[in-house]
Amino acid sequence: MKTTVLSVLFMAASAIACTQEKQEISPIFPSKIKAINSIPFLTLQHEFIYVDKTSLKAVTNQKFRNASVFTSTGFAVVENEKKEYAVINENGKFVSGFSADSMSLNVVNGLTFYKKAIEYEKKMPVWKWDWNILGSGIKKEQTYHRIEIGVLETGQILLNDDVPYLEDQYDLNFISADKNHIFWNGILYEIKKDRLHIIEKGIAELLENQRFIKGSYAGFSIYGLNQKTAIHNELKGSERLSIRFGKENIILNEVNKERYEPEVPKLLTDSKTHDAYPFPQYEKVFPKEITNATASQIDFIKKTSLVYSITNSPYFLLGVFNDDHDVWAFDWLYIDTKGNVTDSVSFYNFKVLDQLGDVIWPDRKMILPNQFINKNWKFGKINSYKGMNDLYLIPIEDEKQVRTKGLWNAGKMNWEIKPEYNDISVLDPEKGIYALQKEKEGLYTLYDNKSKKMIGSNAYQSINSDGMVTVKLNSGKTIYYYIDMYSGKEYKEN
């Protein structure tokens, strides 16, 4: 289960040093989501001040070397001339004082989670020294990260750890299970008075419909959010599926095989009933018998290597990889819970992504049928993100080997943005805001797909989804500042 979250990751950039007023740590915190009226504004001295979005009048007299936009809860990360980081609220009060620790913020369920991290060299015991056999010396230290993660509003610390930098996998990837529960780092928390209370540990994966998977020596169990008794228990990971067709027993031995063993296998089987529950939601039992299929469909099923459960439907997706280098993709077939096999199904709000996040189902022919394409076109990996619904970014190479991208509407079967651009970046999929790059190495311009109009008249080296843009000056120096993505208004001094 994935949820869209607002992350403020501080980006360091060069700027002229500035002075900073005395810090005053504020005990006052905003509650939940609020309207944010302040925005970082770049001055001619290459300092950031915070101004009112409408009037552009300064809201405080503070100046910073770098500054982020405010989260929806009213917090921002700022940097001083010493390259130290702090967190302020919208009134300019310091919530977290300046320190050398890097800072990042993330808002989930109306709470602001922070991560502080600093890199340092740690002296190791002699048995952990790095002895260089080529004679360049003995390394007696290792690089470590000191990490603190917590809730900004209450100061609650959820994690405080020192880890080797190669093992630093702590992120602010908090997930909302519902309005009162948050999942993070294998733990399910309940929110009470803006504080997190542990109600379940050892969770391997959060599922939809308020369910989660726990792993133990006995196997995997699926629970409901507020249930102490497992919905399913003693499930074992498997790569083997058995399905009967008449008198024949079809055995599939390498189903959903992974290059690296996942934390939760993509096929879980009940050791008592032999019911098989496929990825990604493990919400329904794969049929044990084929009740209706043609001979060619049976031949296809015998070669199946990928089985996914299409959520919110009675169907399972069966995939066979076509290793023809001109195709290099999966071919598909479908079977429902009653064992009926079919060559096609209705369009469901369900996408299968590979490990790089590229769409492999629906496949290109389902999204963009052959009657809408030039016969000489070749296609790259198709992308679609949360909020885009029937819209897909499709890379194309024509007969002259010119590569472009377009935005295709699979529901209306038309190009929302014709494949005439080198790159298309998704900034706000729900409001239809994109950044378009016409030529390779060229600049990006803002585009409103709903009104079919360009936004503003300026172009940038890059445009981020939080409104941050980068611009290369005549001197060769690159600077960044913020814009309003919906109007093109720039927050900098001219």
Side-chain angles (χ1 to χ4, degrees):
M1 174 180 175
K2 296 184 178 178
T3 238
T4 302
V5 294
L6 171 63
S7 271
V8 178
L9 303 178
F10 195 82
M11 175 181 177
S14 59
I16 297 175
C18 64
T19 59
Q20 176 59 55
E21 298 295 327
K22 182 180 178 181
Q23 304 171 41
E24 179 184 348
I25 308 303
S26 173
I28 302 172
F29 297 90
S31 61
K32 307 303 178 184
I33 307 302
K34 57 182 294 184
I36 304 300
N37 298 313
S38 300
I39 191 77
F41 183 89
L42 183 64
T43 69
L44 290 176
Q45 290 73 40
H46 294 281
E47 300 167 334
F48 282 95
I49 62 174
Y50 282 95
V51 301
D52 181 272
K53 288 182 177 180
T54 304
S55 67
L56 299 186
K57 290 183 179 179
V59 295
T60 71
N61 59 357
Q62 298 162 307
K63 298 178 181 179
F64 302 103
R65 183 176 185 269
N66 288 301
S68 78
V69 294
F70 283 97
T71 66
S72 58
T73 47
F75 300 104
V77 179
V78 294
E79 182 188 5
N80 66 10
E81 71 281 2
K82 298 178 182 178
K83 299 185 179 180
E84 297 173 325
Y85 304 93
V87 177
I88 63 171
N89 66 18
E90 202 179 3
N91 297 322
K93 300 296 184 181
F94 281 82
V95 173
S96 172
F98 279 113
S99 75
D101 297 73
S102 64
M103 290 287 296
S104 55
L105 304 178
N106 182 16
V107 174
V108 180
N109 278 18
L111 293 178
T112 314
F113 296 93
Y114 70 88
K115 176 181 177 181
K116 295 174 64 175
I118 191 168
E119 190 171 288
Y120 68 98
E121 297 298 315
K122 182 178 181 178
K123 291 184 178 179
M124 306 303 296
V126 64
W127 59 87
K128 289 189 175 182
W129 288 359
D130 185 5
W131 301 79
N132 193 309
I133 61 174
L134 297 179
S136 61
I138 302 171
K139 187 176 181 181
K140 302 179 180 181
E141 297 178 334
Q142 283 188 24
T143 304
Y144 266 65
H145 284 176
R146 182 177 297 117
I147 300 167
E148 180 181 304
I149 292 176
V151 184
L152 198 60
E153 283 84 351
T154 61
Q156 180 183 7
I157 297 174
L158 303 176
L159 179 140
N160 197 327
D161 201 2
D162 288 66
V163 295
Y165 83 101
L166 290 176
E167 299 176 18
D168 180 7
Q169 297 180 356
Y170 293 118
D171 294 310
L172 295 179
N173 53 346
F174 290 80
I175 300 173
S176 173
D178 64 20
K179 65 178 182 179
N180 296 316
H181 295 87
I182 283 177
F183 172 71
W184 177 73
N185 198 30
I187 301 173
L188 185 67
Y189 295 92
E190 184 177 12
I191 304 170
K192 293 181 179 179
K193 296 182 179 180
D194 288 349
R195 294 188 66 86
L196 270 58
H197 301 266
I198 297 174
I199 62 172
E200 198 74 52
K201 290 184 177 181
I203 297 175
E205 189 169 329
L206 189 67
L207 302 173
E208 290 181 353
N209 301 324
Q210 298 187 332
R211 297 173 301 126
F212 58 85
I213 298 179
K214 290 189 69 174
S216 69
Y217 69 91
F220 296 91
S221 301
I222 298 178
Y223 289 83
L225 193 62
N226 295 305
Q227 295 176 332
K228 295 298 182 182
T229 303
I231 302 171
H232 306 292
N233 55 26
E234 296 185 17
L235 301 176
K236 303 291 185 181
S238 177
E239 293 178 353
R240 186 177 185 273
L241 260 181
S242 175
I243 184 168
R244 287 196 62 78
F245 179 62
K247 296 180 179 180
E248 183 180 6
N249 196 32
I250 299 172
I251 304 296
L252 305 178
N253 285 314
E254 291 190 343
V255 175
N256 296 346
K257 188 176 181 64
E258 295 281 307
R259 182 177 180 183
Y260 302 105
E261 184 177 353
E263 185 173 3
V264 179
K266 290 187 175 179
L267 187 66
L268 295 177
T269 303
D270 190 307
S271 55
K272 296 178 181 178
T273 65
H274 304 292
D275 290 341
Y277 299 88
F279 178 88
Q281 295 301 321
Y282 310 94
E283 85 287 11
K284 58 182 180 280
V285 180
F286 190 82
K288 295 177 181 176
E289 183 178 0
I290 298 171
T291 56
N292 184 21
T294 65
S296 62
Q297 288 172 339
I298 293 298
D299 289 340
F300 183 99
I301 290 172
K302 289 178 179 179
K303 297 181 287 184
T304 295
S305 60
L306 186 150
V307 177
Y308 279 6
S309 173
I310 302 178
T311 54
N312 302 312
S313 86
Y315 292 103
F316 297 90
L317 180 64
L318 308 177
V320 172
F321 189 71
N322 188 335
D323 56 6
D324 183 334
H325 286 271
D326 290 331
V327 179
W328 206 254
F330 279 92
D331 295 322
W332 306 105
L333 203 61
Y334 310 89
I335 186 170
D336 67 17
T337 53
K338 296 181 180 180
N340 298 300
V341 180
T342 179
D343 292 328
S344 62
V345 296
S346 302
F347 231 68
Y348 288 93
N349 186 21
F350 179 79
K351 297 180 177 72
V352 178
L353 308 180
D354 64 15
Q355 293 180 342
L356 298 177
D358 299 316
V359 176
I360 58 174
W361 190 89
D363 62 22
R364 195 275 303 167
K365 292 179 182 178
M366 294 177 67
I367 296 169
L368 177 59
N370 287 340
Q371 62 263 37
F372 295 100
I373 70 171
N374 184 310
K375 64 179 181 179
N376 295 316
W377 282 355
K378 294 180 180 180
F379 298 92
K381 297 291 186 180
I382 296 173
N383 294 115
S384 184
Y385 306 102
K386 184 176 177 65
M388 289 179 66
N389 299 320
D390 290 338
L391 300 183
Y392 295 84
L393 290 173
I394 302 183
I396 293 170
E397 181 180 281
D398 65 15
E399 64 276 9
K400 298 180 180 179
Q401 296 185 323
V402 175
R403 296 182 179 182
T404 57
K405 277 187 181 180
L407 182 69
W408 176 258
N409 190 321
K412 296 180 179 178
M413 291 294 169
N414 63 18
W415 290 105
E416 295 281 343
I417 301 175
K418 292 182 179 181
E420 299 172 348
Y421 294 89
N422 178 72
D423 190 29
I424 300 175
S425 295
V426 183
L427 301 178
D428 187 335
E430 293 183 355
K431 294 186 178 180
I433 306 299
Y434 296 84
L436 309 182
Q437 184 191 48
K438 188 69 174 178
E439 307 291 342
K440 189 175 182 180
E441 308 296 335
L443 300 178
Y444 286 86
T445 55
L446 281 169
Y447 181 73
D448 185 335
N449 185 50
K450 291 189 176 180
S451 68
K452 304 298 181 185
K453 293 180 180 179
M454 304 304 294
I455 302 172
S457 57
N458 294 323
Y460 309 94
Q461 283 192 303
S462 67
I463 307 175
N464 287 8
S465 59
D466 63 354
M468 188 183 77
V469 298
T470 57
V471 173
K472 191 172 184 179
L473 304 178
N474 292 333
S475 63
K477 179 181 179 180
T478 298
I479 63 169
Y480 83 93
Y481 54 89
Y482 293 89
I483 65 171
D484 185 320
M485 294 190 305
Y486 310 101
S487 67
K489 184 177 182 178
E490 297 188 326
Y491 298 110
K492 72 180 183 70
E493 193 172 9
N494 296 317

